[in-house]
Amino acid sequence: DGIIVTVPHKFACRELCATVSERAAFLGGVNTMRRNADGTWHGDMFDGLGYVEAMRAKGCEPKGQRVLLVGAGGAGSAIAHALVVAGVSELAIHDADVARRDSLVQRLAGLGLGQVRAGSSDPSGFNIAINATPIGMKEGDPHPIDSSKFTPAQFVGCVITAPAVPPMIQAARDAGCHTMTGADMFARVRDLMVTFLLEAAA
């Protein structure tokens, strides 16, 4: 009756869906699937929406802000889309895969909702800095964003759930930043998934 999809199957499962939400169609991936009345699958993607909701719950309103996002994969793409839809004034995206980064920048810029460009790991001048990569899960990983340049006025987020407080987030806290972890995001994504799946039973 329902499927929750994780890495690396989000894009492949999109192809199994007869119908998808507008955001899932744009992103080309789903993280939750439910049955349509005719037995086919309907899919949606909640990573980005959940992330933005979690930011707001932490007191960070993205509208009008300058944002640095590191990571243009499944979660990163979804978060980027949600940030643009939420009305950020500027979104800079950094990813080691330049082709993937440039493709995402081009597609998001085509929405005409705000300035979207390629960025770097330097958070200087940004109001918000977000890591949407797995970097930080393994001991000894470098910080995906240059934490030596964090300032107390910045909001710093991460998608990683283990460790509970990734080293980069700890560095941001040490610098006086307000922060958000992957667990904060997952709590919001989970609630959106439950609502979506229960709608099929209604």
Side-chain angles (χ1 to χ4, degrees):
D1 293 322
I3 297 174
I4 292 174
V5 185
T6 189
V7 174
H9 305 296
K10 295 178 183 180
F11 296 110
C13 282
R14 161 64 183 90
E15 300 306 314
L16 301 177
C17 295
T19 57
V20 293
S21 69
E22 186 176 338
R23 64 175 155 258
F26 177 86
L27 295 164
V30 301
N31 70 351
T32 318
M33 300 161 63
R34 72 181 186 216
R35 292 287 190 188
N36 288 317
D38 63 0
T40 60
W41 289 106
H42 176 67
D44 207 339
M45 170 67 88
F46 297 112
D47 286 344
L49 183 60
Y51 202 94
V52 168
E53 285 193 3
M55 288 173 64
R56 288 175 171 148
K58 286 284 186 177
C60 179
E61 172 54 57
K63 186 175 182 179
Q65 306 279 9
R66 299 185 67 223
V67 184
L68 170 64
L69 175 70
V70 177
S77 296
I79 293 169
H81 178 258
L83 287 168
V84 169
V85 171
V88 299
S89 63
E90 179 184 350
L91 177 64
I93 301 172
H94 175 62
D95 194 284
D97 187 330
V98 174
R100 181 168 70 175
R101 177 203 68 193
D102 289 349
S103 173
L104 180 59
V105 167
Q106 185 175 18
R107 289 190 297 124
L108 288 170
L111 295 175
L113 296 176
Q115 182 185 359
V116 184
R117 63 175 178 84
S120 70
S121 61
D122 184 349
S124 299
F126 291 96
N127 309 111
I128 301 167
I130 300 168
N131 171 43
T133 76
I135 301 171
M137 295 180 70
K138 297 178 182 176
E139 191 172 346
D141 275 356
H143 291 187
I145 300 172
D146 187 350
S147 57
S148 69
K149 296 184 178 180
F150 286 149
T151 61
Q154 290 175 317
F155 182 91
V156 180
C158 188
V159 299
I160 293 172
T161 56
V165 181
M168 187 195 77
I169 292 297
Q170 186 58 57
R173 290 177 179 178
D174 292 344
C177 304
H178 290 292
T179 64
M180 188 179 111
T181 66
D184 297 318
M185 166 191 173
F186 178 73
R188 294 288 171 164
V189 172
R190 176 198 62 208
D191 292 346
L192 291 166
M193 287 175 164
V194 169
T195 299
F196 173 80
L197 292 170
L198 290 178
E199 284 173 354

